[in-house]
Structure formats: structure tokens, C-alpha cells
Amino acid sequence: MSKKEKPKNLIDGRKISRQVKEEVKEKIEELKKLHGKSPGLAVIIVGDRPDSRTYVNMKKKACAFVGIESFERKLEVDVTQEELLKVVREYNENPEINGILVQLPLPKHIDEEEVLSQISLTKDVDGFSPYNIGKCAMKGRDPLFFPCTPYGCIQLLKRSNVEISGKEAVIIGRSNIVGLPVSFLLLKENATITICHSRTKDIASTVKRADIIIAAVGIPKFVKAEWVKEGAVIIDVGINSVEDKTRKSGRRLVGDVDFENVKEKASLITPVPGGVGPMTVAMLMVNTLRGFERTLESEQKEKEKEEEK
Amino acid sequence: MSKKEKPKNLIDGRKISRQVKEEVKEKIEELKKLHGKSPGLAVIIVGDRPDSRTYVNMKKKACAFVGIESFERKLEVDVTQEELLKVVREYNENPEINGILVQLPLPKHIDEEEVLSQISLTKDVDGFSPYNIGKCAMKGRDPLFFPCTPYGCIQLLKRSNVEISGKEAVIIGRSNIVGLPVSFLLLKENATITICHSRTKDIASTVKRADIIIAAVGIPKFVKAEWVKEGAVIIDVGINSVEDKTRKSGRRLVGDVDFENVKEKASLITPVPGGVGPMTVAMLMVNTLRGFERTLESEQKEKEKEEEK
């Protein structure tokens, strides 16, 4: 079996993310015609980690494609917390900016939680604030923004016509940025959810009962074919760099799922790379557009109030 | 088998709640000696629903027992939202008050979500705000207050020496006030959690795998003996009033679990009444004390700052 052969049961994240971005682009063009303005996304980057730079560039490229104005503030690695907070506050006040991202991780001397908590809730397009996560979990409540990666997972399922309601979803990993919020979004879609983690006693048999598996544990090829029920749908959130002497770079990216073996049992499966990865940036574009639409709506309401006077 | 016979595997919520309240009382006496003041809990009650009155009286009685000052504001059923919010704000400002409860349900013309959102987070002893629920769910974060009933469930387990870490917990029901937050607290205790609900396809076999069952669905005797694994621990959150012609009142309270049959298979089980019910008020006392302690801590810090100057 050649590794190059593309399995038929692949969920193509690149293709779906392109669709999403094209929809965003179209909507933004429409709104620009109507209101004469475009959404803005600001990124604050501290220091010069090459991985952070790569992510920020991906985000800027996506912004350029969909028609979102990019703002960027590069701060030195020894910036003080107060200086960083000043930039956050400035962006909070700037009406041209609908979304604010602080590129993580931050240097150790900065209180990350405190900085993130200072981003205005209406501009927190990452959607990681406790307030937003609470609303992701709560019945009958909607968050201001669905966190990007979990939101991307749900879009991959929906746009591949996977029925979620009533299905058994098993989520491996309980991180604040993927495992937990993706569980809540699946619950909102009426899945029966099981969250397992490092303390789970029999992970193989827990995963075995899943109709939908979300692997978000950060361990290369963690999920084995024997754990997977025939016909399950698998979303692999892992992005792990492993040694590969056949590559020029000496490394390659693999997911949390033993893809080569698991794909034989799955009815649908995301590859790594090219699965969940491209969706995160696409959903960030969706969230920034959402923030922009909400701003337009409240401006509209203000205007109507003024006219009533 | 006589119904009067007390099974040996009973978790006695009345006894445990009394222990909790005695611990709170002792701590409050200690703090009063040190600081010359006591915690305060304010209840806002709108209209005169007899069930609301009963709950409020239970809370006041518990306050009197543990040494918490009770404040109460009774508002007419046709109170405006603005008048109600004014009372909330007044209590937010009052330094003698460490906890604020708005007795639910509110009349239909009041926006319940809006009113609850106006309670200061540091006095929201019910712990139902999205911010607080988010922190209940998130790894490495602690809420300001654990919601009372879910917190009570965890205390029943812990004080009965039930090991939670690594156990399979199945929660039936996903309400914002019990099902969801109790799931999060169990996850924080390292259980593998499964949340099931009305859309769950095979609830019997889902429940069957549980080491710990939390029934919070609001349907009398919903959980059957055949669904329960031998030796499971069962926490029954349901309080349902059903017809009973043998009683003077013609009614009696039953839980969400078919107690008479399930108790034969459970290693431990809570009765209804006398299980989870009494714990809710006890944990409200714990939360009010917690709010008071936090106030004392920040007063202490302020004082130290002053002295440094």
C-alpha cells in the first residue's frame, strides 16, 4: 500500500477551510458595499519565536485573502506586563478592530491569564475567556465566539454530513483550548459525550464505543486501530513533530492517531497535516467577521435610537 | 421487606450536611473572635410563591444556626426590572453582605439572565454565572464559588470515602444548575465523565458502565435496577412530588432513581428526601463563609499596603 495514495474516506480540511474562507470573503465584500468598511484583526506578538511568527504570518495571509484588515504590534521579549496591557487596552478602544489576538506563549515574566482577561469580551476572537467557555458549556446560552479549533472540528463534521445528535462522541484530552470546549460544542449538538484523559483507566474500551472520536491529547499516534469501532468518524487535532530520516528536514508532522492503520476502520478521518490545522485560521476569520457584524448591528441600533429622539 | 428498614449502604445527607454546617459554624465563631464580625447573606424574593418562601426560610434557618447574618428584601410580584436591579446594586455595594441570592423563578416580565448577571461575581454564592461555570470546567482554574448542589454531590462522595479519580462517572441530565457543573467538578476530580441526556440513544447501557451515577434528570424513578452495575455509587439529585394515597397529604417525594430496587445493587446510594437536598443549603453556607474569608483577606492586604506607605 503506497503512502501517497489518498484514501477515499479522507476529510479534506484544506478544501473545507477554503470553502469557509470563501464564504467569509463574499460576506465581507457584501458588507463593505453596504457600510463602506471592513473588519479588523489585531495581533500582539511578544519576542521572536519562529513558531509564533509562522502562525502570525498564516493569520495575516488569511486576513488578506478574506478582506480583513491586519493590525500587528511587535513587542520586545522583555516588555513589561503594564506596557503589554497598554497595547491591549488601546486595541480594546480602537473601533477599527473587531478581534484581538495575543500570540501565545508569552514570556515567563508575563501573567498570561491576566493579559488575556483584559481583552474586551466582544473582541476576544480566540474565545478562551472563562465567561465564553462557560457559555459554550451552558444550555440555552451562546458564547460571543466559539473557540476556533473546536469550532473548526464541528465544521469538519457538519460539512462532511456527519450526524452528531444522539451519537456517542469520545473526546481524548481535556485541555482548555481544545478538549473541553470541543466536548461542550458536541454536547450542544446533542451528542452523548465522554471526556477521557491521562487518569482514564481503560482508554481502549472507552474509545471503542465512540461513533465520533476527537483526539486532542498531544501524543504521536496515540490512538490505535484496535481501539476504533468499525465505521467511526475520527477528528485528529494533534500536530506532533516526529523524526523522519526519509525527509530532508529530518522531521515530519503526525497526529494523535495512528493514521495508516486507523484509516482502514474509520468511515471518515482527518489527515495531519491538512485536517483540523487549516480550520483554526478559517474559523478565526469567521469569528472576526462575527465581531464586525455585531459592531455594525449595535451601530445600527444606536443610529435608530438617535433618530427616535 | 419493610420500607421503614434503613439500608446499610445509605449516604445520609442530613448527617453529612449537619457536619458541614457545624464546621462552618465553628469557623465563623473563630473569625468573629479574631475580627469582630460575621458573614452576611442577602436574599431577594419577588412575589409570594409558597415554594420560594419555604426555600428562603430553610436558608434563613441555616444562617441562624451557623452564625451568618440574614438580610432579606421582599419585593411585590409586579416590581419592575429596574427596581429589582436597584436592590441588587445596593447589596453589591453593602460591605456587610458577602453573598446575594435572587430566589428563582422570577415573574415572567423580569429578564432573569440579566438580573443574575448584575450580581457582583464576588458575591454570587449560587455560582451560576457563565464566568464561574467556565472556571468550574477549565483545567487549572478555580471558580470563585462552586455551585451549591453540584458541590454538595462531591462532598457526599468525598465524605463517604468514595474514590473519584480514574472512575467512570455517568451524569444523567445536562442542566446548567446541576448536570453540567457536577460533570465538571467530577472531571476536576479526575473521573472519566459521560454526560447523557434526552437524545442519548442507549441510556441503559451507558449508565451500566458507571462506577458513579449522578441522576439529575427530573423524572421520578427514571433509573432502573437493570441499568446499574453491581457496586455502583448513586447520587440521586431528583426531587419529584408523586401521588401517594397512603399519605395524609396524598403525595410524597421521590428521586430520579427507583430507590427500592436500585439500592440492592448499589454499594452506596443517597435517599430522597434526606440525600442531596440538605447539602445544597449546607454548601450555600460554605460559599458565604468563603466570600467572607475572601473579603477579610483583601481587607488585610489593603491594611498591609496602608502600613507600608
Side-chain angles (χ1 to χ4, degrees), chain B residues 202-217:
Chain B
D202 186 354
I203 199 146
S205 74
T206 308
V207 173
K208 191 92 189 190
R209 58 199 192 210
D211 303 308
I212 298 168
I213 299 167
I214 312 279
V217 70

Side-chain angles (χ1 to χ4, degrees), chain A residues 38-39 51 56 65 72 111 142 150 156 160 179 196 211 255 286 307:
Chain A
S38 311
D51 56 343
V56 169
F65 177 78
E72 188 185 318
D111 180 349
D142 272 325
L156 287 176
S160 307
C196 45
D211 304 308
V286 172
E307 285 167 2

Side-chain angles (χ1 to χ4, degrees), chain A residues 20 24 68 151 281-291 293:
Chain A
V20 171
V24 171
I68 291 174
Y151 194 9
V281 176
M283 302 326 290
L284 178 64
M285 300 299 109
V286 172
N287 278 354
T288 308
L289 168 58
R290 192 72 202 89
E293 287 175 320

Side-chain angles (χ1 to χ4, degrees), chain B residues 10 32 98 120 123 156 193 201 220 250 258 275 280 299 302:
Chain B
L10 214 63
K32 194 169 181 179
N98 307 102
S120 161
K123 298 189 180 187
L156 287 176
I193 62 159
K201 273 188 185 146
D258 181 9
T280 301
E299 282 174 3
E302 283 299 309

Side-chain angles (χ1 to χ4, degrees), chain B residues 41-77:
Chain B
L41 176 65
V43 179
I44 304 172
I45 178 167
V46 179
D48 40 22
R49 290 175 60 112
D51 54 344
S52 291
R53 193 66 257 168
T54 307
Y55 282 120
V56 170
N57 288 342
M58 273 167 54
K59 288 164 188 172
K60 287 173 86 169
K61 204 175 139 191
C63 282
F65 177 77
V66 301
I68 291 175
E69 209 78 47
S70 280
F71 296 78
E72 188 185 318
R73 189 71 58 90
K74 212 193 145 312
L75 299 168
E76 294 303 317
V77 71

Side-chain angles (χ1 to χ4, degrees), chain B residues 242-298:
Chain B
V242 296
E243 202 172 83
D244 182 351
K245 287 180 179 154
T246 71
R247 302 276 177 111
K248 268 190 215 159
S249 65
R251 305 198 73 78
R252 78 189 155 99
L253 293 180
V254 299
D256 290 350
V257 173
D258 181 9
F259 183 82
E260 285 308 315
N261 297 306
V262 169
K263 77 176 195 301
E264 306 298 327
K265 294 182 87 178
S267 67
L268 285 169
I269 185 168
T270 61
V272 176
V276 174
M279 292 302 290
T280 301
V281 176
M283 301 328 289
L284 179 64
M285 300 299 109
V286 172
N287 279 352
T288 308
L289 167 59
R290 192 72 203 87
F292 180 59
E293 287 175 320
R294 254 194 305 258
T295 306
L296 292 174
E297 283 158 23
S298 57

